[in-house]
Amino acid sequence: MADVRELGKRAKAAKPALGRAGAAQRGRALLEIAGVLEREGELILAANRRDVAAAEKAGISPALIDRLRLTEQRVKDMADSVRQVAAMPDPVGTVLGGSCLPNGLRLEKVRVPLGVVGMIYEARPNVTVDAAALCVKSGNVCLLRGGKEALQTNLALAKGMREALERAGLPQDGILFVDDTSRESAAELMKLNEYLDVLVPRGGAGLIRRVVETATVPVIETGTGNCHVYVDAAADLGKALDIAENAKTSRPSVCNAAETVLVHEAVAREFLPRLKERLGRHGVELRGCPRTREILGDWVRPAGEEDFATEFLDYILALRVVGSREEAMAHIARYGTGHSECIVTEDYSAGEAFLQEVDAAVVYVNASTRFTDGGEFGLGTELGISTQKLHARGPMGLEALTSYKYLVRGNGQIR
Amino acid sequence: MADVRELGKRAKAAKPALGRAGAAQRGRALLEIAGVLEREGELILAANRRDVAAAEKAGISPALIDRLRLTEQRVKDMADSVRQVAAMPDPVGTVLGGSCLPNGLRLEKVRVPLGVVGMIYEARPNVTVDAAALCVKSGNVCLLRGGKEALQTNLALAKGMREALERAGLPQDGILFVDDTSRESAAELMKLNEYLDVLVPRGGAGLIRRVVETATVPVIETGTGNCHVYVDAAADLGKALDIAENAKTSRPSVCNAAETVLVHEAVAREFLPRLKERLGRHGVELRGCPRTREILGDWVRPAGEEDFATEFLDYILALRVVGSREEAMAHIARYGTGHSECIVTEDYSAGEAFLQEVDAAVVYVNASTRFTDGGEFGLGTELGISTQKLHARGPMGLEALTSYKYLVRGNGQIR
């Protein structure tokens, strides 16, 4: 059983080597990691088959097993994703600003790695590789703790990646993996203030809530997305249909999928039947407010508080008719999780007001909420999508894994 | 007794009005606040006299009473400080970046207020005014909870500032004050995730630790400063004397004061007796490692682990002779709190290596650690000095009170 404190200590000890390594050496390490994933694909797949067999035996749901399962193609995709991160501009060392004080002191503010990044996540083994690649690229040591379903796969991945670091002249401990998947090991990680600079949970709402409630280490909260599409009185209904359909059905299980469509009363009678028809093709279950049910009929299940507050992550959509844009924004302020919100409108001032006033990481006019994604935003692989306002907001790429420090050069100044 | 949840709710309700207010209106609110401090100075001083009388009766230490006590001059200084904040460039709305995606979506990343800023602090009433001024300037609502010693003063300040907001056309609830100074009210504030976007504790190490351990709201840790001055083998000893004296004695009770001086063995025999003489003028008590005591004599009290780990905040200095710059940096890595660290050297490479490798908010070559301060750094009044790496590091000015969001403008894009 892993001693989490001991791993934390080793992570801290490896920090200076990763922080000092230049961009060239860190880039080399990433290419070594991509290489090892390809060369040792068969070993990784064998470990993954053991995880999948155990999961099947334990009666784990097919959806979860699908997320767990690797294929040759998926391993190749992981290697490609590492190469993409390697090709990104290096964030470390960028000069963010500076000044010369009246007494001649020269201040320089430079971007530096966070240090040691802890991560607690669930079934998908690609998170192990993505997180390690982003951390190495940005000069950070990572201390990873995945879910028990993926343990054998993660151990094989971690072993390969650690050896890759060594081949690039970096300490193996630049990537550390907690092989103990008990609740206790997670709880210990959450309190490891002495060794961790940040902790990022990635997974279901239960995991995120537990981390936020328990951790004393600074946390970046990720991924809860109760996202809305608001169809304004001045909407182009064709665009609105495409956007609502795409936001709900292109991948319902992800955090940037829409969960509620709000419709202005001026267009509700025309729009709702068309939306029902369009979503019916995908078998989406609708849950509506009283006015929605008045228009679409009683077969639409009534939507209560609970429905508006739920991130379904499924082929279910809540519907509500609103009397004004203000009412739509009040609904979003009440039920939204600050992830992604969209207005569909051709009214210039309505669109701009929505952009300014809605408090979310990403606010859209006339585009699907599904674009909230590090890859789409051009950040390379993402570490997660932050739904808090501190430090990073929205898709987190390499910059979110950095802090800054002030270098001050003097010649004897005192105060 | 204040209902902290109810105050949180009111803070959230006031958020849109503060966020929407333009720079001109927020600036006007600050000038109204400065004006009210001057006009109602007598009322504020009367409230402060009641606090001071109660504190004296309760046998509070003279140092604490000094921090609590206001004078006509101190009230005037508070008003001046508000005017300084008013004159700073407005951080809100700055475009931080953007791009046009291949599909034509236009991304814009803009600076926005954090939202609702909670603050828990201790005796000094000027924190009430500084925090409120910085929050209003950056479009944030603040929810303040000061110490019980300053309650009457804080209530008078909050009342005046709230009325000033109203005169500038903003809701009074842009500034909220918790009039319940019990531990329970602080504990409730720490868990107010529904309403607070960030919580900043400012005060002694005990308060900061309690907040970090208890809060579920995102916290910015501030102010613990176990700062070092390292006198290198290649130091100009004249500069080293001035810097060590200034860092230790110019204001020992603040977080940017030095607590330990590390001396390279090559200069220890020459430097230590001169330092002893210089600090003797200020009555500084020295606590040294065995080699220090060998040079300065047995009257120097032995320094143990405990001394090197302590932020004395007093006329006490720990001394240690080291064999190399690496040994000095290892000492700093072990005992430092990531606040401010200084090397005194004329060796170019030694200075640059120290700047790069020491992991602290501010790293100095040949200058006193006492410069780590929002005012000195040109940030205006500071909210505190962050010793964590997430979000903000070092002196926190207006930018530390902001987040960002993405505005995405499309014409029907789906994914």
Side-chain angles (χ1 to χ4, degrees), chain A residues 12 15 20 99 101 103 105 107 109 112-115 193 197-198 212-213 215-216 218-220 239 242-243 246 250 256 333 352 355-368 370-371 373 376-377 379 388-395 399 403-415, chain B residues 12 15 20 99 101 103 105 107 109 112-115 193 197-198 212-213 215-216 218-220 239 242-243 246 250 256 333 352 355-368 370-371 373 376-377 379 388-395 399 403-415:
Chain A
K12 191 173 176 181
K15 191 157 73 164
R20 257 198 315 263
S99 59
L101 302 189
N103 61 9
L105 271 187
L107 251 67
K109 186 178 174 183
V112 297
L114 280 173
N193 295 54
D197 292 291
V198 60
V212 167
E213 278 168 10
T216 52
V219 166
I220 302 181
K239 286 180 190 165
D242 289 347
I243 288 169
N246 182 262
S250 62
N256 58 21
E352 287 299 309
L355 284 177
Q356 299 306 320
E357 291 176 28
V358 170
D359 187 14
V362 191
V363 189
Y364 293 88
V365 178
N366 296 342
S368 170
R370 290 274 292 110
F371 287 106
D373 172 90
E376 294 289 328
F377 275 27
L379 305 175
Q388 69 179 35
K389 292 197 205 162
L390 220 58
H391 188 68
R393 200 176 192 197
E399 283 189 4
S403 178
Y404 55 82
K405 75 185 202 191
Y406 289 95
L407 312 181
V408 183
R409 297 177 173 93
N411 54 11
Q413 283 86 345
I414 59 172
R415 185 179 170 191
Chain B
K12 192 174 174 181
K15 192 157 73 162
R20 257 196 318 262
S99 60
L101 303 189
N103 60 9
L105 272 187
L107 251 68
K109 186 177 174 183
V112 297
L114 280 173
N193 296 55
D197 292 292
V198 60
V212 167
E213 279 168 11
T216 52
V219 166
I220 301 180
K239 287 180 190 166
D242 289 347
I243 289 169
N246 181 264
S250 62
N256 59 19
E352 287 298 309
L355 284 177
Q356 299 306 320
E357 292 176 28
V358 170
D359 188 13
V362 192
V363 189
Y364 293 88
V365 178
N366 296 341
S368 170
R370 290 275 292 111
F371 287 105
D373 173 89
E376 294 289 329
F377 275 28
L379 305 175
Q388 69 179 36
K389 292 195 205 165
L390 221 57
H391 188 70
R393 201 176 191 195
E399 284 190 2
S403 179
Y404 55 83
K405 77 185 199 191
Y406 290 95
L407 311 182
V408 182
R409 296 176 175 94
N411 53 12
Q413 283 86 345
I414 60 172
R415 186 176 167 193

Side-chain angles (χ1 to χ4, degrees), chain A residues 156-388:
Chain A
L157 291 169
K159 181 169 182 290
M161 293 194 295
R162 284 167 52 84
E163 290 166 5
L165 282 191
E166 193 165 42
R167 269 196 299 281
L170 291 169
Q172 289 211 2
D173 282 354
I175 299 172
L176 287 160
F177 189 83
V178 182
D179 65 2
D180 170 0
T181 60
S182 67
R183 282 224 169 186
E184 290 69 35
S185 78
E188 211 175 340
L189 206 54
M190 295 181 209
K191 309 259 184 199
L192 219 55
N193 295 54
E194 197 179 338
Y195 301 120
L196 290 188
D197 292 291
V198 60
L199 181 63
V200 182
R202 193 166 162 183
L207 169 71
I208 310 264
R209 196 166 45 240
R210 204 162 64 245
V211 171
V212 167
E213 278 168 10
T214 315
T216 52
V217 173
V219 166
I220 302 181
E221 198 177 339
T222 67
T224 314
N226 190 7
C227 307
H228 301 76
V229 173
Y230 164 55
V231 181
D232 188 45
D236 174 324
L237 297 188
K239 286 180 190 165
L241 279 174
D242 289 347
I243 288 169
E245 177 188 27
N246 182 262
K248 179 70 260 181
T249 67
S250 62
R251 205 170 162 201
S253 66
V254 294
C255 61
N256 58 21
E259 307 295 359
T260 297
V261 170
L262 303 165
V263 184
H264 193 284
E265 57 185 12
V267 294
R269 283 198 181 272
E270 183 183 352
F271 181 72
L272 282 172
R274 290 171 67 184
L275 181 67
K276 174 193 147 191
E277 191 272 323
R278 187 74 78 90
L279 295 181
R281 299 179 200 167
H282 302 274
V284 174
E285 178 191 330
L286 302 180
R287 302 185 184 175
C289 70
R291 295 171 75 187
T292 302
R293 298 179 73 229
E294 205 186 296
I295 296 168
L296 293 183
D298 281 353
W299 69 273
V300 172
R301 209 180 121 171
E305 278 289 299
E306 186 64 15
D307 295 296
F308 292 125
T310 299
E311 188 185 6
F312 300 116
L313 297 172
D314 204 344
Y315 287 94
I316 303 172
L317 180 71
L319 288 168
R320 183 169 180 182
V321 176
V322 294
S324 64
R325 174 168 52 79
E326 286 68 26
E327 198 184 326
M329 295 198 302
H331 180 102
I332 292 168
R334 174 151 180 204
Y335 297 104
T337 52
H339 192 295
S340 300
E341 305 295 349
C342 164
I343 183 174
V344 185
T345 192
E346 297 301 315
D347 178 326
Y348 185 84
S349 296
E352 287 299 309
F354 191 87
L355 284 177
Q356 299 306 320
E357 291 176 28
V358 170
D359 187 14
V362 191
V363 189
Y364 293 88
V365 178
N366 296 342
S368 170
T369 54
R370 290 274 292 110
F371 287 106
T372 303
D373 172 90
E376 294 289 328
F377 275 27
L379 305 175
T381 305
E382 74 189 20
L383 193 72
I385 293 175
S386 164
T387 52
Q388 69 179 35

Side-chain angles (χ1 to χ4, degrees), chain A residues 12-34:
Chain A
K12 191 173 176 181
K15 191 157 73 164
L18 268 286
R20 257 198 315 263
Q25 191 179 12
R26 284 181 271 118
R28 207 153 62 235
L30 288 190
L31 298 184
E32 291 282 357
I33 288 175

Side-chain angles (χ1 to χ4, degrees), chain B residues 78-139:
Chain B
M78 291 198 290
D80 285 347
S81 153
V82 173
R83 288 206 177 86
Q84 261 176 42
V85 173
M88 298 288 295
D90 194 271
V92 178
T94 309
V95 178
L96 299 172
S99 60
C100 185
L101 303 189
N103 60 9
L105 272 187
R106 284 172 294 120
L107 251 68
E108 189 189 9
K109 186 177 174 183
V110 297
R111 206 182 270 291
V112 297
L114 280 173
V116 179
V117 176
M119 205 156 163
I120 299 184
Y121 53 103
E122 295 180 331
R124 281 166 38 205
N126 68 309
V127 174
T128 307
V129 175
D130 285 352
L134 286 167
C135 285
V136 170
K137 173 79 183 180
S138 51

